[in-house]
Amino acid sequence: MIHARGGSGRGWRDGQVIIAPDKFKGSLTAAQVAAHLAAGLRRVRPELPVVSVPVADGGDGTVDAMVAAGFAGLQTAVTGPVGNRVVASLAMRGETAIIELAEASGLRRLPDRPTPVTARTATSAGTGELMRTAVSRGARRVVLGLGGSACTDGGAGMLTALGARLLDADGAPLPPGGVALQRLERIDLADLLRVPVTVASDVDNPLLGERGAAQVYAPQKGAGADDVVQLERGLARFAEIARRDLGVDLSDRPGAGAAGGVGFAAIAFLGARSEPGIELILRHLDFADRLQGARLVITGEGCLDRQTLHGKAPMGVAKAAAAAGIPVLAIAGQRLLTREMLRRFGFEDAYALTDIEPDPQRCIDNAGPLLEQLAVRIAETRLAELLSRNA
């Protein structure tokens, strides 16, 4: 957290500017974005109280954002998406654990690029192992951020790591991956570790069908056309056995297709409820309290586009700030929406690194210094007028 109090001696509740960005993917973490923006503002207004609150929407970077905001970070070795060992992080505060599926089971945890083989066999087991670790450290509630997964296993690996047994017709455990689910015959939940779970995800896809986990997302994970067919069959078999033996019929539930079907396993077997990722994360960051005394909020992400308007982190920050009557500026690497469009959705104005440097690759390579330049420009041209509104 950044405190730039000047000589006031006031705490963070009296900060005039809240900087609450998401990461700039492929370039800077959310905390780094916030630090560069704060540095740029302080060049012009060194006395300005600034509070940094890095945010995330449940996907990549969620754990980093929570640790930067004061949660305790823990690391542990778990099973990666193709059986490789990876060191994954989680965040904890009190009895609440924040777990990011991408940390253990994400595409970035593959040893190499995704292939048809990894698409067929990738597992979510490491995510279940993170959950076990959290419980062993005293967690009684888990927030599970879904996004960036390498697997299309319906959450079977996660359940297995939590003690479930997924068996074939001979009573043998199934091997990892979504394709193996085609041979599923019985699900044994006698030893399943149950912990209250809330899923942080903005994906509303069902498990199956043309909008389902396999058909929409598996090609992004290396699956070819035949792999998609087999993965779809595996997920359908998983849903069928769950319905037959356990009376669980939730494959059509919005969000069941999130993270290769991990959403289905969390909802159907762990009783998870799903919430929009950014709203859930902001609540755990006590963001409404942090807005008290603020006069301006600055948020942003790598690219402001139409997805931003549908539940991404900057939109959630803007809604929270608007509810408190505080103006919001958006900062991005690229801005693919007009300023007029963004104003209709509650943003006072929007700035992009490409306003300074037209070459997108140079913006990625030099994001930190460019963010500081952009913050200097804002401080010189807009800051006084925006702060005066809530004086």
Side-chain angles (χ1 to χ4, degrees), residues 76-79 85 124-134 158 161-162:
T76 184
V78 297
T79 303
R85 298 299 286 175
S124 57
T127 299
E129 292 169 9
L130 278 179
M131 295 170 73
R132 272 197 173 275
T133 296
M158 177 183 72
L162 291 173

Side-chain angles (χ1 to χ4, degrees), residues 154-191:
M158 177 183 72
L159 294 175
T160 299
L162 291 173
R165 301 174 69 220
L166 277 65
L167 309 172
D168 65 16
D170 297 323
L174 294 178
V179 168
L181 289 171
Q182 295 177 92
R183 298 190 279 112
L184 179 64
E185 185 58 38
R186 186 165 66 88
I187 302 171
D188 180 357
L189 300 180
D191 296 323

Side-chain angles (χ1 to χ4, degrees), residues 187 189 241-248 269:
I187 302 171
L189 300 180
I241 298 303
R243 182 171 54 248
R244 184 196 72 190
D245 292 354
L246 307 172
V248 173
F269 298 96

Side-chain angles (χ1 to χ4, degrees), residues 141 205 320:
R141 296 175 296 276
N205 302 69

